[in-house]
Amino acid sequence: MRVASVLLLAVLASFSAADDPSKPHDHQGKLDKFKLGPPPALSSSERAAVDAGKTVSKTVPVEGGARALAVFDVAAPPAVVWACINDLPAYPRMVPGVHATKVYGGGTRGGVKTTLVTWTLKLLGYSVTYHLEFQHSPSASAAAFALDYSRNSDIDDTVGYWHVAPRNGGSSSRVTYSAALLLKGWFPKPVVDFLLSTTLGRATQWVATEAATRLRKEGTSAAPSHGRRCTGVWPFRRCAPPPAPPPPPPPPAP
């Protein structure tokens, strides 16, 4: 056990020293990037499971890493869900395992907003740092990310994708998340499990919690009010009937 602990710390020490934003990554991408478009279609059984309130998830190990897909519903409008996903500086508070994020660039072109952000994960006192290019297209209701290959990262490669679709007349959202991760070299199983759970497995569990928190703080409902006066917080929100339309104008005098 002592030898294994020493080996783990030694590997982590060398791993955390690899990040160097002043140097480019050692390749320009090994994983295929996701496109800003609709998500893959679900099978009838998968769609039925999500409709029943379950999360459909898959994690497939690949050499040097893993691929993951998750589809789930969130009781919040798409605008609230996107506010959570796009709040990159708040990820250390929202997502377990994320120690720090720092935005260092970005811009908007052709309706697509690009954000360059550095992520730091913490494990046993050691840091795992990588640099991402995060793109969001409101018109496609999708986001995609990949490594910023102009900076050297501790991980070998990663790509990912978000899609948010309205459900129930816009009162809730169907969220699709997919990602792939490749590690550099060989790592002990605790390190692999931590990285996969943080970047793949845990990456979706926080969305519903954060969306509900924001709705409560705002005192708003997941259900649209359609111009009605509403009080309370979803799911206990109550809305008064819409006001009666104004009476028609009197007919013209003869």
Side-chain angles (χ1 to χ4, degrees), residues 173-184:
S173 303
R174 177 149 298 176
V175 181
T176 301
Y177 175 79
S178 187
L181 173 69
L182 295 179
L183 304 178
K184 286 183 178 180

Side-chain angles (χ1 to χ4, degrees), residues 4-239:
S5 299
V6 172
L7 176 61
L8 174 61
L9 293 176
V11 171
L12 282 171
S14 63
F15 182 55
S16 61
D19 161 62
D20 187 350
S22 67
K23 297 180 180 179
H25 205 58
D26 53 10
H27 60 75
Q28 293 300 302
K30 295 180 179 180
L31 297 167
D32 292 334
K33 294 183 179 181
F34 288 92
K35 295 182 179 180
L36 293 169
L42 297 174
S43 67
S44 57
S45 60
E46 291 171 335
R47 188 165 53 252
V50 181
D51 288 342
K54 300 179 181 179
T55 297
V56 171
S57 60
K58 307 173 185 177
T59 300
V60 180
V62 297
E63 184 177 356
R67 289 183 174 272
L69 170 70
V71 183
F72 53 98
D73 283 351
V74 176
V80 176
V81 175
W82 276 120
C84 300
I85 295 171
N86 284 323
D87 195 358
L88 302 178
Y91 272 54
R93 175 183 60 81
M94 299 187 297
V95 185
V98 178
H99 175 72
T101 56
K102 182 178 180 181
V103 175
Y104 60 90
T108 301
R109 182 177 181 181
V112 176
K113 181 180 179 181
T114 298
T115 305
L116 302 175
V117 57
T118 297
W119 298 74
T120 300
L121 313 180
K122 285 285 188 178
L123 174 62
L124 298 177
Y126 290 84
S127 297
V128 175
T129 300
Y130 52 98
H131 313 281
L132 288 183
E133 180 183 66
F134 186 94
Q135 294 185 319
H136 175 221
S137 170
S139 63
S141 195
F145 61 84
L147 281 187
D148 175 4
Y149 300 105
S150 69
R151 296 186 171 204
N152 193 32
S153 292
D154 288 335
I155 59 177
D156 191 24
D157 204 4
T158 190
V159 294
Y161 166 88
W162 291 94
H163 184 271
V164 182
R167 297 277 294 169
N168 302 316
S171 65
S172 62
S173 303
R174 177 149 298 176
V175 181
T176 301
Y177 175 79
S178 187
L181 173 69
L182 295 179
L183 304 178
K184 286 183 178 180
W186 177 89
F187 299 100
K189 191 174 185 301
V191 180
V192 176
D193 290 345
F194 168 78
L195 291 172
L196 295 183
S197 67
T198 300
T199 58
L200 302 182
R202 297 181 188 174
T204 59
Q205 299 173 5
W206 60 272
V207 178
T209 300
E210 179 65 21
T213 298
R214 295 188 180 214
L215 287 175
R216 287 195 299 269
K217 288 182 177 180
E218 295 171 2
T220 58
S221 166
S225 63
H226 299 295
R228 299 173 293 173
R229 178 173 296 178
C230 302
T231 59
V233 178
W234 187 91
F236 306 107
R237 197 181 194 199
R238 297 294 181 266
C239 296

